[in-house]
Amino acid sequence: MLDKQSGALLFTTGGASVHPVPRTGNVGIAISGLRNNIFNLNSELADKGVYAGHLSIGIWMQPNSGVQDKIADIWYDMYTKRDRVEEFIN
């Protein structure tokens, strides 16, 4: 990606990466660290043509709820515009 000066690193985590939840405390520590790393990656790579983005999902996903389509639309928008590092869906 760096040689081509093009590409994207797309990460998805649960909502606990942004909003701590007691029952997901252990994983929340790990994914909040990942979230921090994503911001650092984007900061270092954006001017080299590589995008790093994070989508945090704070809802229970149900079959046929349309949430999957909404997630895909958000990812497509973030990837094409590259105007933000993070989005939260709830």
Side-chain angles (χ1 to χ4, degrees):
M1 284 190 266
L2 290 174
D3 287 345
K4 292 182 178 184
Q5 294 186 335
S6 177
L9 302 164
L10 307 175
F11 298 87
T12 304
T13 66
S17 66
V18 178
H19 302 289
V21 178
R23 70 175 178 258
T24 60
N26 289 342
V27 73
I29 293 168
I31 60 179
S32 63
L34 174 60
R35 177 179 177 248
N36 181 282
N37 192 48
I38 296 162
F39 275 83
N40 289 328
L41 280 170
N42 193 68
S43 177
E44 291 296 316
L45 299 175
D47 64 341
K48 297 174 176 82
V50 179
Y51 171 72
H54 174 241
L55 177 59
S56 182
I57 301 173
I59 57 173
W60 293 106
M61 294 177 53
Q62 300 295 322
N64 303 315
S65 66
V67 173
Q68 294 86 350
D69 292 337
K70 185 174 181 180
I71 290 168
D73 290 342
I74 291 170
W75 266 132
Y76 183 77
D77 187 63
M78 289 176 70
Y79 172 77
T80 56
K81 291 182 181 173
R82 299 179 180 214
D83 60 350
R84 60 200 183 279
V85 178
E86 180 174 61
E87 188 76 36
F88 188 87
I89 183 172
N90 59 5

